[in-house]
Amino acid sequence: MNDEVETITLESFEEMSKLKSARVGEKIVALDIRNTTVKEERVRILDFVTGLAFGKNCTIRQINDEGVFLINPSK
């Protein structure tokens, strides 16, 4: 497993296609949604990403209250 961190910044749910390029489940992915200002969009993104992490047997944890999360692959 590669220990590099790939950072994905999302400002809306429409940018979820950026996650296609991220290798979720293969490497650590930092998800930054601090610039997503609409609360419903933030919830929608988190719901999707949580499901993706669960489906790929990853863990997800919040790094700060502003909206940065780490998605860690299983070991």
Side-chain angles (χ1 to χ4, degrees):
M1 175 174 57
N2 192 344
D3 287 339
E4 293 180 32
V5 176
E6 184 170 344
T7 302
I8 303 293
T9 303
L10 300 176
E11 294 185 14
S12 69
F13 189 79
E14 285 74 33
E15 294 181 344
M16 291 299 289
S17 62
K18 290 182 180 180
L19 282 176
K20 288 182 184 177
S21 65
R23 295 189 307 200
V24 176
E26 298 175 21
K27 64 190 301 185
I28 299 170
V29 175
L31 176 66
D32 182 352
I33 60 170
R34 290 180 286 186
N35 293 329
T36 306
T37 57
V38 179
K39 182 181 178 184
E40 291 81 13
E41 292 273 315
R42 290 174 70 97
V43 170
R44 206 169 159 203
I45 290 169
L46 287 176
D47 285 346
F48 184 89
V49 170
T50 301
L52 176 65
F54 180 77
K56 293 198 174 231
N57 200 27
C58 298
T59 59
I60 184 169
R61 67 184 182 119
Q62 188 170 1
I63 299 302
N64 65 27
D65 292 337
E66 288 79 36
V68 179
F69 300 83
L70 275 185
I71 306 168
N72 297 302
S74 62
K75 296 180 179 169

